[in-house]
């Protein structure tokens, strides 16, 4: 049985005079449809999420849906791209130069918390499905979801090295190790339900410990390092 979406996103009604929607309204409508489809995929198997079900849950006509996503496959691939972009959103916020380790820990924690949401398993199911339908897109998404965070982390580490606040002869390798230890490993544990009682605070402390362990010895002392020491991390 189809389970309803867990949330309702409400769009403003179209102007009474009709006509084509503005570019902004069209973009919001597409995001709305993709968000609703992702919610349905979180609550149901892929086979149970049909064009009819998405149209009904999103309160749009099938004509509107087909105009944007001509096939169910196109809709699922768009949902997958939408979900990946949501999880990369923390990377769009700048990390200030001040206490860069605290900023980096906050960034990694945000990325890990995004992975803790219920959509994670739906995304994994979609990735497995998409592997057989569009392997090039899956490879592109994998590159984005891994390479983009590593590049951002490497930029932060490189800035700290330029200011002589970090000894890092290979910032790319250090960034990769940091991302794997702070985000990728815990994300896998969440996916397989290894520690279902883990809390957001547990994850924050894990990220803080990883940052301190990997960067503490190579960095000049900072308020963040003192905070970790005081918390026995």
């Amino acid at each position: 049985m189809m389970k309803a979406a867990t949330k309702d996103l409400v769009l403003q009604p179209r102007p009474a005079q009709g006509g084509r929607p503005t570019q902004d309204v069209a973009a919001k409508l597409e995001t709305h449809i993709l968000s609703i489809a992702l919610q349905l995929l979180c609550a149901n198997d892929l086979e149970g999420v049909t064009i009819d079900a998405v149209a009904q849950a999103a309160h749009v006509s099938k004509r509107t849906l087909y105009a944007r996503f001509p096939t169910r496959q196109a809709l699922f691939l768009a949902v997958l791209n939408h979900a990946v972009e949501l999880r990369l959103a923390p990377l769009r916020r700048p990390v200030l130069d001040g206490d860069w380790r605290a900023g980096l820990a906050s960034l990694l924690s945000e990325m890990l918390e995004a992975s803790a949401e219920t959509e994670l398993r739906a995304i994994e199911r979609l990735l497995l499905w998409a592997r057989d339908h569009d392997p090039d897109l899956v490879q592109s998404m994998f590159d984005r979801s891994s390479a983009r965070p590593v590049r951002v982390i490497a930029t932060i580490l490189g800035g700290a090295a330029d200011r002589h606040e970090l000894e890092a002869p290979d910032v790319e390798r250090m960034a990769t190790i940091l991302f794997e230890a702070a985000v990728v490993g815990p994300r896998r544990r969440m996916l397989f339900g290894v520690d279902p009682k883990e809390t957001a605070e547990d994850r924050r402390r894990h990220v803080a410990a990883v940052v301190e362990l990997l960067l503490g010895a190579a960095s000049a002392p900072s308020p963040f390092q003192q905070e970790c020491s005081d918390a026995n991390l």
Side-chain angles (χ1 to χ4, degrees):
M1 179 182 296
M2 170 66 64
K3 297 180 183 178
T6 55
K7 303 175 186 174
D8 251 348
L9 302 181
V10 180
L11 294 177
Q12 295 299 319
R14 290 270 298 279
Q17 65 268 27
R20 294 180 64 84
T22 66
Q23 189 173 11
D24 181 59
V25 170
K28 288 181 179 178
L29 177 59
E30 183 167 316
T31 299
H32 165 73
I33 292 170
L34 295 175
S35 297
I36 292 296
L38 179 57
Q39 291 172 27
L40 289 175
L41 286 164
C42 290
N44 305 272
D45 293 334
L46 268 65
E47 293 75 13
V49 180
T50 63
I51 291 290
D52 285 350
V54 174
Q56 182 178 3
H59 304 295
V60 299
S61 68
K62 286 200 292 183
R63 179 179 178 181
T64 295
L65 201 59
Y66 278 120
R68 288 159 176 79
F69 313 104
T71 65
R72 185 167 170 266
Q73 176 177 331
L75 173 62
F76 281 4
L77 292 175
V79 170
L80 183 56
N81 185 68
H82 169 71
V84 169
E85 284 301 315
L86 286 177
R87 267 130 205 86
L88 294 176
L91 299 176
R92 302 187 186 103
R93 290 189 285 277
V95 175
L96 301 179
D97 290 339
D99 190 353
W100 60 271
R101 274 179 295 171
L104 180 57
S106 177
L107 172 66
L108 292 167
S109 290
E110 282 191 68
M111 295 191 67
L112 184 54
E113 281 310 297
S115 301
E117 297 173 3
T118 56
E119 287 91 344
L120 179 62
R121 286 177 175 78
I123 293 170
E124 293 291 333
R125 289 199 302 270
L126 276 174
L127 281 170
L128 291 174
W129 170 87
R131 184 181 59 188
D132 298 327
H133 293 80
D134 195 336
D136 290 340
L137 178 64
V138 173
Q139 183 62 49
S140 171
M141 289 184 178
F142 177 80
D143 292 342
R144 279 160 49 207
S145 62
S146 297
R148 194 187 301 179
V150 169
R151 284 198 303 270
V152 171
I153 296 167
T155 299
I156 296 169
L157 298 179
D162 291 342
R163 297 189 302 272
H164 306 290
E165 297 173 357
L166 176 71
E167 294 181 11
D170 189 343
V171 294
E172 289 286 342
R173 183 179 296 276
M174 181 176 283
T176 299
I177 294 172
L178 190 59
F179 179 63
E180 291 278 343
V183 178
V184 177
R187 181 186 290 164
R188 291 194 187 108
R189 293 201 306 273
M190 285 187 286
L191 178 62
F192 291 104
V194 172
D195 188 1
K197 295 183 179 180
E198 185 179 63
T199 66
E201 179 60 20
D202 292 332
R203 292 187 287 272
R204 188 199 70 79
R205 289 173 66 86
H206 168 80
V207 170
V210 168
V211 170
E212 180 57 27
L213 178 64
L214 295 181
L215 301 182
S219 308
S222 73
F224 178 64
Q225 186 177 27
Q226 185 60 50
E227 178 185 347
C228 289
S229 176
D230 294 343
N232 295 321
L233 292 177

